[in-house]
PDB file of all heavy atoms in Angstrom:
ATOM      1  N   LEU A   1      85.128  96.061 119.676  1.00 87.00           N
ATOM      2  CA  LEU A   1      86.467  95.668 120.128  1.00 87.00           C
ATOM      3  C   LEU A   1      87.372  95.297 118.961  1.00 87.00           C
ATOM      4  O   LEU A   1      88.560  95.631 118.964  1.00 87.00           O
ATOM      5  CB  LEU A   1      86.375  94.508 121.116  1.00 87.00           C
ATOM      6  CG  LEU A   1      85.768  94.842 122.471  1.00 87.00           C
ATOM      7  CD1 LEU A   1      85.567  93.583 123.299  1.00 87.00           C
ATOM      8  CD2 LEU A   1      86.623  95.847 123.216  1.00 87.00           C
ATOM      9  N   LEU A   2      86.822  94.619 117.958  1.00 89.00           N
ATOM     10  CA  LEU A   2      87.622  94.297 116.773  1.00 89.00           C
ATOM     11  C   LEU A   2      88.128  95.566 116.090  1.00 89.00           C
ATOM     12  O   LEU A   2      89.299  95.655 115.710  1.00 89.00           O
ATOM     13  CB  LEU A   2      86.803  93.473 115.774  1.00 89.00           C
ATOM     14  CG  LEU A   2      86.674  91.991 116.054  1.00 89.00           C
ATOM     15  CD1 LEU A   2      85.672  91.358 115.098  1.00 89.00           C
ATOM     16  CD2 LEU A   2      88.013  91.312 115.935  1.00 89.00           C
ATOM     17  N   ALA A   3      87.234  96.528 115.935  1.00 89.00           N
ATOM     18  CA  ALA A   3      87.634  97.791 115.310  1.00 89.00           C
ATOM     19  C   ALA A   3      88.676  98.505 116.166  1.00 89.00           C
ATOM     20  O   ALA A   3      89.666  99.030 115.650  1.00 89.00           O
ATOM     21  CB  ALA A   3      86.411  98.677 115.096  1.00 89.00           C
ATOM     22  N   ALA A   4      88.479  98.508 117.477  1.00 86.00           N
ATOM     23  CA  ALA A   4      89.411  99.187 118.374  1.00 86.00           C
ATOM     24  C   ALA A   4      90.764  98.489 118.406  1.00 86.00           C
ATOM     25  O   ALA A   4      91.810  99.153 118.436  1.00 86.00           O
ATOM     26  CB  ALA A   4      88.827  99.268 119.783  1.00 86.00           C
ATOM     27  N   LEU A   5      90.750  97.179 118.381  1.00 84.00           N
ATOM     28  CA  LEU A   5      92.017  96.441 118.378  1.00 84.00           C
ATOM     29  C   LEU A   5      92.750  96.589 117.047  1.00 84.00           C
ATOM     30  O   LEU A   5      93.949  96.364 116.972  1.00 84.00           O
ATOM     31  CB  LEU A   5      91.776  94.973 118.707  1.00 84.00           C
ATOM     32  CG  LEU A   5      91.334  94.705 120.145  1.00 84.00           C
ATOM     33  CD1 LEU A   5      90.946  93.241 120.312  1.00 84.00           C
ATOM     34  CD2 LEU A   5      92.411  95.089 121.137  1.00 84.00           C
ATOM     35  N   GLY A   6      92.020  96.987 116.014  1.00 85.00           N
ATOM     36  CA  GLY A   6      92.621  97.261 114.711  1.00 85.00           C
ATOM     37  C   GLY A   6      93.151  98.682 114.614  1.00 85.00           C
ATOM     38  O   GLY A   6      93.254  99.239 113.534  1.00 85.00           O
ATOM     39  N   ARG A   7      93.434  99.284 115.743  1.00 84.00           N
ATOM     40  CA  ARG A   7      94.037 100.628 115.851  1.00 84.00           C
ATOM     41  C   ARG A   7      93.063 101.762 115.541  1.00 84.00           C
ATOM     42  O   ARG A   7      93.471 102.876 115.288  1.00 84.00           O
ATOM     43  CB  ARG A   7      95.283 100.761 114.976  1.00 84.00           C
ATOM     44  CG  ARG A   7      96.342  99.726 115.215  1.00 84.00           C
ATOM     45  CD  ARG A   7      97.041  99.987 116.526  1.00 84.00           C
ATOM     46  NE  ARG A   7      98.122  99.027 116.688  1.00 84.00           N
ATOM     47  CZ  ARG A   7      98.371  98.389 117.807  1.00 84.00           C
ATOM     48  NH1 ARG A   7      97.652  98.624 118.861  1.00 84.00           N
ATOM     49  NH2 ARG A   7      99.351  97.533 117.874  1.00 84.00           N
ATOM     50  N   ASN A   8      91.770 101.489 115.562  1.00 85.00           N
ATOM     51  CA  ASN A   8      90.768 102.534 115.408  1.00 85.00           C
ATOM     52  C   ASN A   8      90.322 102.896 116.824  1.00 85.00           C
ATOM     53  O   ASN A   8      89.500 102.216 117.421  1.00 85.00           O
ATOM     54  CB  ASN A   8      89.589 102.027 114.579  1.00 85.00           C
ATOM     55  CG  ASN A   8      88.563 103.101 114.307  1.00 85.00           C
ATOM     56  OD1 ASN A   8      88.589 104.166 114.899  1.00 85.00           O
ATOM     57  ND2 ASN A   8      87.642 102.796 113.406  1.00 85.00           N
ATOM     58  N   THR A   9      90.867 103.962 117.382  1.00 83.00           N
ATOM     59  CA  THR A   9      90.624 104.288 118.785  1.00 83.00           C
ATOM     60  C   THR A   9      89.210 104.750 119.075  1.00 83.00           C
ATOM     61  O   THR A   9      88.780 104.733 120.215  1.00 83.00           O
ATOM     62  CB  THR A   9      91.613 105.373 119.266  1.00 83.00           C
ATOM     63  OG1 THR A   9      91.469 106.525 118.435  1.00 83.00           O
ATOM     64  CG2 THR A   9      93.035 104.865 119.204  1.00 83.00           C
ATOM     65  N   SER A  10      88.475 105.162 118.052  1.00 87.00           N
ATOM     66  CA  SER A  10      87.101 105.618 118.244  1.00 87.00           C
ATOM     67  C   SER A  10      86.236 105.134 117.080  1.00 87.00           C
ATOM     68  O   SER A  10      85.885 105.903 116.186  1.00 87.00           O
ATOM     69  CB  SER A  10      87.066 107.147 118.343  1.00 87.00           C
ATOM     70  OG  SER A  10      85.771 107.588 118.625  1.00 87.00           O
ATOM     71  N   PRO A  11      85.868 103.835 117.093  1.00 88.00           N
ATOM     72  CA  PRO A  11      85.078 103.289 115.982  1.00 88.00           C
ATOM     73  C   PRO A  11      83.719 103.977 115.849  1.00 88.00           C
ATOM     74  O   PRO A  11      83.052 104.264 116.838  1.00 88.00           O
ATOM     75  CB  PRO A  11      84.893 101.823 116.363  1.00 88.00           C
ATOM     76  CG  PRO A  11      85.947 101.535 117.374  1.00 88.00           C
ATOM     77  CD  PRO A  11      86.194 102.817 118.082  1.00 88.00           C
ATOM     78  N   SER A  12      83.334 104.235 114.629  1.00 91.00           N
ATOM     79  CA  SER A  12      82.032 104.848 114.354  1.00 91.00           C
ATOM     80  C   SER A  12      81.015 103.759 114.041  1.00 91.00           C
ATOM     81  O   SER A  12      81.361 102.585 113.880  1.00 91.00           O
ATOM     82  CB  SER A  12      82.150 105.793 113.155  1.00 91.00           C
ATOM     83  OG  SER A  12      82.420 105.046 111.979  1.00 91.00           O
ATOM     84  N   ALA A  13      79.765 104.166 113.936  1.00 92.00           N
ATOM     85  CA  ALA A  13      78.703 103.227 113.573  1.00 92.00           C
ATOM     86  C   ALA A  13      78.988 102.604 112.205  1.00 92.00           C
ATOM     87  O   ALA A  13      78.756 101.416 111.993  1.00 92.00           O
ATOM     88  CB  ALA A  13      77.357 103.934 113.579  1.00 92.00           C
ATOM     89  N   LYS A  14      79.525 103.405 111.304  1.00 93.00           N
ATOM     90  CA  LYS A  14      79.850 102.916 109.962  1.00 93.00           C
ATOM     91  C   LYS A  14      80.913 101.817 110.032  1.00 93.00           C
ATOM     92  O   LYS A  14      80.819 100.804 109.324  1.00 93.00           O
ATOM     93  CB  LYS A  14      80.337 104.079 109.099  1.00 93.00           C
ATOM     94  CG  LYS A  14      80.650 103.708 107.676  1.00 93.00           C
ATOM     95  CD  LYS A  14      81.126 104.915 106.881  1.00 93.00           C
ATOM     96  CE  LYS A  14      81.540 104.507 105.491  1.00 93.00           C
ATOM     97  NZ  LYS A  14      82.105 105.628 104.735  1.00 93.00           N
ATOM     98  N   ASP A  15      81.926 102.012 110.888  1.00 93.00           N
ATOM     99  CA  ASP A  15      82.986 101.013 111.045  1.00 93.00           C
ATOM    100  C   ASP A  15      82.425  99.692 111.567  1.00 93.00           C
ATOM    101  O   ASP A  15      82.772  98.610 111.069  1.00 93.00           O
ATOM    102  CB  ASP A  15      84.064 101.516 112.013  1.00 93.00           C
ATOM    103  CG  ASP A  15      84.764 102.769 111.530  1.00 93.00           C
ATOM    104  OD1 ASP A  15      84.906 102.936 110.300  1.00 93.00           O
ATOM    105  OD2 ASP A  15      85.166 103.587 112.390  1.00 93.00           O
ATOM    106  N   ILE A  16      81.565  99.782 112.558  1.00 93.00           N
ATOM    107  CA  ILE A  16      80.998  98.572 113.159  1.00 93.00           C
ATOM    108  C   ILE A  16      80.037  97.892 112.192  1.00 93.00           C
ATOM    109  O   ILE A  16      80.025  96.669 112.073  1.00 93.00           O
ATOM    110  CB  ILE A  16      80.323  98.915 114.500  1.00 93.00           C
ATOM    111  CG1 ILE A  16      81.396  99.416 115.480  1.00 93.00           C
ATOM    112  CG2 ILE A  16      79.599  97.708 115.072  1.00 93.00           C
ATOM    113  CD1 ILE A  16      80.860  99.951 116.771  1.00 93.00           C
ATOM    114  N   LYS A  17      79.243  98.672 111.468  1.00 94.00           N
ATOM    115  CA  LYS A  17      78.336  98.096 110.474  1.00 94.00           C
ATOM    116  C   LYS A  17      79.110  97.361 109.394  1.00 94.00           C
ATOM    117  O   LYS A  17      78.684  96.311 108.914  1.00 94.00           O
ATOM    118  CB  LYS A  17      77.464  99.176 109.847  1.00 94.00           C
ATOM    119  CG  LYS A  17      76.318  99.606 110.720  1.00 94.00           C
ATOM    120  CD  LYS A  17      75.446 100.628 110.004  1.00 94.00           C
ATOM    121  CE  LYS A  17      74.279 101.038 110.873  1.00 94.00           C
ATOM    122  NZ  LYS A  17      73.387 101.973 110.196  1.00 94.00           N
ATOM    123  N   LYS A  18      80.253  97.902 109.003  1.00 94.00           N
ATOM    124  CA  LYS A  18      81.075  97.254 107.981  1.00 94.00           C
ATOM    125  C   LYS A  18      81.547  95.883 108.461  1.00 94.00           C
ATOM    126  O   LYS A  18      81.526  94.910 107.704  1.00 94.00           O
ATOM    127  CB  LYS A  18      82.274  98.149 107.646  1.00 94.00           C
ATOM    128  CG  LYS A  18      83.134  97.613 106.538  1.00 94.00           C
ATOM    129  CD  LYS A  18      84.244  98.590 106.190  1.00 94.00           C
ATOM    130  CE  LYS A  18      85.124  98.042 105.091  1.00 94.00           C
ATOM    131  NZ  LYS A  18      86.232  98.951 104.768  1.00 94.00           N
ATOM    132  N   ILE A  19      81.938  95.794 109.739  1.00 94.00           N
ATOM    133  CA  ILE A  19      82.377  94.514 110.306  1.00 94.00           C
ATOM    134  C   ILE A  19      81.202  93.539 110.342  1.00 94.00           C
ATOM    135  O   ILE A  19      81.331  92.386 109.937  1.00 94.00           O
ATOM    136  CB  ILE A  19      82.979  94.718 111.710  1.00 94.00           C
ATOM    137  CG1 ILE A  19      84.302  95.484 111.605  1.00 94.00           C
ATOM    138  CG2 ILE A  19      83.197  93.378 112.415  1.00 94.00           C
ATOM    139  CD1 ILE A  19      84.862  95.946 112.935  1.00 94.00           C
ATOM    140  N   LEU A  20      80.064  93.997 110.834  1.00 94.00           N
ATOM    141  CA  LEU A  20      78.888  93.125 110.920  1.00 94.00           C
ATOM    142  C   LEU A  20      78.405  92.688 109.542  1.00 94.00           C
ATOM    143  O   LEU A  20      78.028  91.526 109.346  1.00 94.00           O
ATOM    144  CB  LEU A  20      77.768  93.823 111.694  1.00 94.00           C
ATOM    145  CG  LEU A  20      78.031  94.056 113.184  1.00 94.00           C
ATOM    146  CD1 LEU A  20      76.944  94.926 113.792  1.00 94.00           C
ATOM    147  CD2 LEU A  20      78.150  92.742 113.917  1.00 94.00           C
ATOM    148  N   ASP A  21      78.403  93.600 108.584  1.00 94.00           N
ATOM    149  CA  ASP A  21      77.990  93.260 107.218  1.00 94.00           C
ATOM    150  C   ASP A  21      78.892  92.203 106.599  1.00 94.00           C
ATOM    151  O   ASP A  21      78.432  91.374 105.812  1.00 94.00           O
ATOM    152  CB  ASP A  21      77.981  94.504 106.328  1.00 94.00           C
ATOM    153  CG  ASP A  21      76.808  95.429 106.611  1.00 94.00           C
ATOM    154  OD1 ASP A  21      75.816  94.979 107.226  1.00 94.00           O
ATOM    155  OD2 ASP A  21      76.883  96.621 106.207  1.00 94.00           O
ATOM    156  N   SER A  22      80.166  92.207 106.966  1.00 94.00           N
ATOM    157  CA  SER A  22      81.115  91.250 106.387  1.00 94.00           C
ATOM    158  C   SER A  22      80.783  89.806 106.759  1.00 94.00           C
ATOM    159  O   SER A  22      81.209  88.880 106.079  1.00 94.00           O
ATOM    160  CB  SER A  22      82.543  91.588 106.810  1.00 94.00           C
ATOM    161  OG  SER A  22      82.754  91.276 108.172  1.00 94.00           O
ATOM    162  N   VAL A  23      80.005  89.630 107.838  1.00 93.00           N
ATOM    163  CA  VAL A  23      79.612  88.281 108.241  1.00 93.00           C
ATOM    164  C   VAL A  23      78.103  88.064 108.115  1.00 93.00           C
ATOM    165  O   VAL A  23      77.548  87.133 108.671  1.00 93.00           O
ATOM    166  CB  VAL A  23      80.087  87.950 109.675  1.00 93.00           C
ATOM    167  CG1 VAL A  23      81.587  87.842 109.734  1.00 93.00           C
ATOM    168  CG2 VAL A  23      79.575  88.960 110.676  1.00 93.00           C
ATOM    169  N   GLY A  24      77.433  88.978 107.399  1.00 93.00           N
ATOM    170  CA  GLY A  24      76.025  88.805 107.105  1.00 93.00           C
ATOM    171  C   GLY A  24      75.068  89.176 108.222  1.00 93.00           C
ATOM    172  O   GLY A  24      73.960  88.659 108.270  1.00 93.00           O
ATOM    173  N   ILE A  25      75.473  90.064 109.114  1.00 92.00           N
ATOM    174  CA  ILE A  25      74.600  90.483 110.206  1.00 92.00           C
ATOM    175  C   ILE A  25      74.130  91.908 109.957  1.00 92.00           C
ATOM    176  O   ILE A  25      74.937  92.798 109.704  1.00 92.00           O
ATOM    177  CB  ILE A  25      75.336  90.406 111.565  1.00 92.00           C
ATOM    178  CG1 ILE A  25      75.720  88.967 111.859  1.00 92.00           C
ATOM    179  CG2 ILE A  25      74.469  90.984 112.681  1.00 92.00           C
ATOM    180  CD1 ILE A  25      76.573  88.805 113.091  1.00 92.00           C
ATOM    181  N   GLU A  26      72.816  92.103 110.019  1.00 92.00           N
ATOM    182  CA  GLU A  26      72.251  93.436 109.859  1.00 92.00           C
ATOM    183  C   GLU A  26      72.240  94.123 111.216  1.00 92.00           C
ATOM    184  O   GLU A  26      71.731  93.580 112.201  1.00 92.00           O
ATOM    185  CB  GLU A  26      70.831  93.334 109.304  1.00 92.00           C
ATOM    186  CG  GLU A  26      70.243  94.667 108.929  1.00 92.00           C
ATOM    187  CD  GLU A  26      68.891  94.515 108.268  1.00 92.00           C
ATOM    188  OE1 GLU A  26      68.695  93.550 107.513  1.00 92.00           O
ATOM    189  OE2 GLU A  26      68.038  95.372 108.526  1.00 92.00           O
ATOM    190  N   ALA A  27      72.783  95.317 111.284  1.00 91.00           N
ATOM    191  CA  ALA A  27      72.927  96.036 112.551  1.00 91.00           C
ATOM    192  C   ALA A  27      71.642  96.728 112.957  1.00 91.00           C
ATOM    193  O   ALA A  27      70.935  97.298 112.128  1.00 91.00           O
ATOM    194  CB  ALA A  27      74.050  97.054 112.445  1.00 91.00           C
ATOM    195  N   ASP A  28      71.338  96.690 114.250  1.00 92.00           N
ATOM    196  CA  ASP A  28      70.224  97.432 114.843  1.00 92.00           C
ATOM    197  C   ASP A  28      70.807  98.759 115.335  1.00 92.00           C
ATOM    198  O   ASP A  28      71.668  98.782 116.216  1.00 92.00           O
ATOM    199  CB  ASP A  28      69.637  96.628 116.001  1.00 92.00           C
ATOM    200  CG  ASP A  28      68.544  97.363 116.750  1.00 92.00           C
ATOM    201  OD1 ASP A  28      68.031  98.378 116.229  1.00 92.00           O
ATOM    202  OD2 ASP A  28      68.199  96.925 117.860  1.00 92.00           O
ATOM    203  N   ASP A  29      70.356  99.856 114.762  1.00 92.00           N
ATOM    204  CA  ASP A  29      70.934 101.164 115.061  1.00 92.00           C
ATOM    205  C   ASP A  29      70.849 101.547 116.535  1.00 92.00           C
ATOM    206  O   ASP A  29      71.777 102.150 117.072  1.00 92.00           O
ATOM    207  CB  ASP A  29      70.284 102.252 114.200  1.00 92.00           C
ATOM    208  CG  ASP A  29      70.690 102.151 112.739  1.00 92.00           C
ATOM    209  OD1 ASP A  29      71.784 101.607 112.468  1.00 92.00           O
ATOM    210  OD2 ASP A  29      69.918 102.603 111.872  1.00 92.00           O
ATOM    211  N   ASP A  30      69.753 101.202 117.204  1.00 93.00           N
ATOM    212  CA  ASP A  30      69.614 101.554 118.619  1.00 93.00           C
ATOM    213  C   ASP A  30      70.679 100.869 119.471  1.00 93.00           C
ATOM    214  O   ASP A  30      71.333 101.502 120.305  1.00 93.00           O
ATOM    215  CB  ASP A  30      68.219 101.184 119.137  1.00 93.00           C
ATOM    216  CG  ASP A  30      67.126 102.040 118.532  1.00 93.00           C
ATOM    217  OD1 ASP A  30      67.432 103.176 118.101  1.00 93.00           O
ATOM    218  OD2 ASP A  30      65.971 101.574 118.483  1.00 93.00           O
ATOM    219  N   ARG A  31      70.841  99.568 119.279  1.00 93.00           N
ATOM    220  CA  ARG A  31      71.852  98.825 120.046  1.00 93.00           C
ATOM    221  C   ARG A  31      73.255  99.292 119.691  1.00 93.00           C
ATOM    222  O   ARG A  31      74.115  99.425 120.549  1.00 93.00           O
ATOM    223  CB  ARG A  31      71.708  97.338 119.791  1.00 93.00           C
ATOM    224  CG  ARG A  31      70.475  96.749 120.397  1.00 93.00           C
ATOM    225  CD  ARG A  31      70.418  95.279 120.163  1.00 93.00           C
ATOM    226  NE  ARG A  31      69.218  94.715 120.771  1.00 93.00           N
ATOM    227  CZ  ARG A  31      68.932  93.436 120.753  1.00 93.00           C
ATOM    228  NH1 ARG A  31      69.745  92.591 120.141  1.00 93.00           N
ATOM    229  NH2 ARG A  31      67.841  92.992 121.322  1.00 93.00           N
ATOM    230  N   LEU A  32      73.475  99.517 118.426  1.00 91.00           N
ATOM    231  CA  LEU A  32      74.779  99.973 117.964  1.00 91.00           C
ATOM    232  C   LEU A  32      75.149 101.316 118.585  1.00 91.00           C
ATOM    233  O   LEU A  32      76.254 101.485 119.104  1.00 91.00           O
ATOM    234  CB  LEU A  32      74.772 100.073 116.442  1.00 91.00           C
ATOM    235  CG  LEU A  32      76.050 100.494 115.752  1.00 91.00           C
ATOM    236  CD1 LEU A  32      77.190  99.553 116.086  1.00 91.00           C
ATOM    237  CD2 LEU A  32      75.816 100.526 114.262  1.00 91.00           C
ATOM    238  N   ASN A  33      74.212 102.248 118.580  1.00 91.00           N
ATOM    239  CA  ASN A  33      74.477 103.561 119.161  1.00 91.00           C
ATOM    240  C   ASN A  33      74.683 103.492 120.671  1.00 91.00           C
ATOM    241  O   ASN A  33      75.473 104.252 121.230  1.00 91.00           O
ATOM    242  CB  ASN A  33      73.349 104.533 118.817  1.00 91.00           C
ATOM    243  CG  ASN A  33      73.338 104.869 117.334  1.00 91.00           C
ATOM    244  OD1 ASN A  33      74.381 104.886 116.690  1.00 91.00           O
ATOM    245  ND2 ASN A  33      72.160 105.109 116.797  1.00 91.00           N
ATOM    246  N   LYS A  34      73.990 102.563 121.324  1.00 92.00           N
ATOM    247  CA  LYS A  34      74.177 102.394 122.773  1.00 92.00           C
ATOM    248  C   LYS A  34      75.600 101.927 123.082  1.00 92.00           C
ATOM    249  O   LYS A  34      76.253 102.443 123.983  1.00 92.00           O
ATOM    250  CB  LYS A  34      73.163 101.403 123.329  1.00 92.00           C
ATOM    251  CG  LYS A  34      73.284 101.228 124.822  1.00 92.00           C
ATOM    252  CD  LYS A  34      72.238 100.303 125.372  1.00 92.00           C
ATOM    253  CE  LYS A  34      72.427 100.213 126.880  1.00 92.00           C
ATOM    254  NZ  LYS A  34      71.507  99.289 127.497  1.00 92.00           N
ATOM    255  N   VAL A  35      76.087 100.940 122.336  1.00 90.00           N
ATOM    256  CA  VAL A  35      77.450 100.446 122.545  1.00 90.00           C
ATOM    257  C   VAL A  35      78.464 101.560 122.291  1.00 90.00           C
ATOM    258  O   VAL A  35      79.385 101.768 123.087  1.00 90.00           O
ATOM    259  CB  VAL A  35      77.745  99.223 121.647  1.00 90.00           C
ATOM    260  CG1 VAL A  35      79.218  98.869 121.644  1.00 90.00           C
ATOM    261  CG2 VAL A  35      76.915  98.040 122.104  1.00 90.00           C
ATOM    262  N   ILE A  36      78.271 102.288 121.216  1.00 89.00           N
ATOM    263  CA  ILE A  36      79.208 103.362 120.879  1.00 89.00           C
ATOM    264  C   ILE A  36      79.207 104.429 121.973  1.00 89.00           C
ATOM    265  O   ILE A  36      80.265 104.888 122.400  1.00 89.00           O
ATOM    266  CB  ILE A  36      78.879 103.962 119.502  1.00 89.00           C
ATOM    267  CG1 ILE A  36      79.199 102.935 118.409  1.00 89.00           C
ATOM    268  CG2 ILE A  36      79.669 105.247 119.266  1.00 89.00           C
ATOM    269  CD1 ILE A  36      78.739 103.339 117.037  1.00 89.00           C
ATOM    270  N   SER A  37      78.040 104.800 122.452  1.00 89.00           N
ATOM    271  CA  SER A  37      77.979 105.852 123.474  1.00 89.00           C
ATOM    272  C   SER A  37      78.595 105.394 124.798  1.00 89.00           C
ATOM    273  O   SER A  37      79.212 106.186 125.505  1.00 89.00           O
ATOM    274  CB  SER A  37      76.540 106.307 123.694  1.00 89.00           C
ATOM    275  OG  SER A  37      75.768 105.283 124.278  1.00 89.00           O
ATOM    276  N   GLU A  38      78.465 104.111 125.127  1.00 88.00           N
ATOM    277  CA  GLU A  38      79.026 103.608 126.373  1.00 88.00           C
ATOM    278  C   GLU A  38      80.542 103.399 126.301  1.00 88.00           C
ATOM    279  O   GLU A  38      81.232 103.521 127.306  1.00 88.00           O
ATOM    280  CB  GLU A  38      78.347 102.302 126.777  1.00 88.00           C
ATOM    281  CG  GLU A  38      76.920 102.494 127.237  1.00 88.00           C
ATOM    282  CD  GLU A  38      76.261 101.191 127.646  1.00 88.00           C
ATOM    283  OE1 GLU A  38      76.938 100.146 127.704  1.00 88.00           O
ATOM    284  OE2 GLU A  38      75.044 101.222 127.902  1.00 88.00           O
ATOM    285  N   LYS A  39      81.053 103.076 125.138  1.00 86.00           N
ATOM    286  CA  LYS A  39      82.481 102.762 125.005  1.00 86.00           C
ATOM    287  C   LYS A  39      83.311 103.907 124.444  1.00 86.00           C
ATOM    288  O   LYS A  39      84.523 103.917 124.587  1.00 86.00           O
ATOM    289  CB  LYS A  39      82.667 101.536 124.100  1.00 86.00           C
ATOM    290  CG  LYS A  39      81.931 100.306 124.552  1.00 86.00           C
ATOM    291  CD  LYS A  39      82.425  99.819 125.876  1.00 86.00           C
ATOM    292  CE  LYS A  39      81.663  98.582 126.314  1.00 86.00           C
ATOM    293  NZ  LYS A  39      81.290  98.611 127.693  1.00 86.00           N
ATOM    294  N   ASN A  40      82.665 104.866 123.814  1.00 82.00           N
ATOM    295  CA  ASN A  40      83.392 105.944 123.156  1.00 82.00           C
ATOM    296  C   ASN A  40      84.224 106.747 124.154  1.00 82.00           C
ATOM    297  O   ASN A  40      83.750 107.145 125.206  1.00 82.00           O
ATOM    298  CB  ASN A  40      82.417 106.867 122.423  1.00 82.00           C
ATOM    299  CG  ASN A  40      83.102 107.671 121.353  1.00 82.00           C
ATOM    300  OD1 ASN A  40      84.227 107.387 120.969  1.00 82.00           O
ATOM    301  ND2 ASN A  40      82.411 108.678 120.859  1.00 82.00           N
ATOM    302  N   GLY A  41      85.487 106.949 123.825  1.00 83.00           N
ATOM    303  CA  GLY A  41      86.389 107.726 124.664  1.00 83.00           C
ATOM    304  C   GLY A  41      87.061 106.933 125.768  1.00 83.00           C
ATOM    305  O   GLY A  41      87.881 107.472 126.498  1.00 83.00           O
ATOM    306  N   LYS A  42      86.711 105.659 125.907  1.00 86.00           N
ATOM    307  CA  LYS A  42      87.327 104.835 126.952  1.00 86.00           C
ATOM    308  C   LYS A  42      88.500 104.059 126.364  1.00 86.00           C
ATOM    309  O   LYS A  42      88.495 103.670 125.201  1.00 86.00           O
ATOM    310  CB  LYS A  42      86.306 103.864 127.546  1.00 86.00           C
ATOM    311  CG  LYS A  42      85.200 104.566 128.305  1.00 86.00           C
ATOM    312  CD  LYS A  42      84.264 103.566 128.922  1.00 86.00           C
ATOM    313  CE  LYS A  42      83.155 104.280 129.683  1.00 86.00           C
ATOM    314  NZ  LYS A  42      82.213 103.336 130.268  1.00 86.00           N
ATOM    315  N   ASN A  43      89.488 103.816 127.192  1.00 87.00           N
ATOM    316  CA  ASN A  43      90.636 103.013 126.803  1.00 87.00           C
ATOM    317  C   ASN A  43      90.192 101.542 126.759  1.00 87.00           C
ATOM    318  O   ASN A  43      89.725 101.004 127.756  1.00 87.00           O
ATOM    319  CB  ASN A  43      91.763 103.210 127.818  1.00 87.00           C
ATOM    320  CG  ASN A  43      93.008 102.451 127.449  1.00 87.00           C
ATOM    321  OD1 ASN A  43      92.968 101.420 126.808  1.00 87.00           O
ATOM    322  ND2 ASN A  43      94.133 102.971 127.876  1.00 87.00           N
TER     323      ASN A  43
END
């Protein structure tokens, strides 16, 4: 949502990892891909 609200209409895994890394959180690829697949293309 942060990436999308920043005018990125289709955030990628790389975009989300960059946000998570900025606060010291290591991303789990399975969960990350699930969120992207469920939200991708939706307003």
Side-chain angles (χ1 to χ4, degrees):
L1 291 173
L2 280 172
L5 291 173
R7 305 287 184 224
N8 184 348
T9 58
S10 184
S12 67
K14 182 180 175 185
D15 298 328
I16 296 173
K17 282 183 179 183
K18 184 176 179 182
I19 292 170
L20 292 172
D21 286 342
S22 72
V23 292
I25 297 174
E26 188 175 324
D28 176 15
D29 289 334
D30 292 336
R31 290 182 179 182
L32 182 58
N33 291 329
K34 182 177 181 183
V35 169
I36 291 172
S37 67
E38 289 180 7
K39 303 297 180 224
N40 200 14
K42 294 183 180 179
N43 182 331

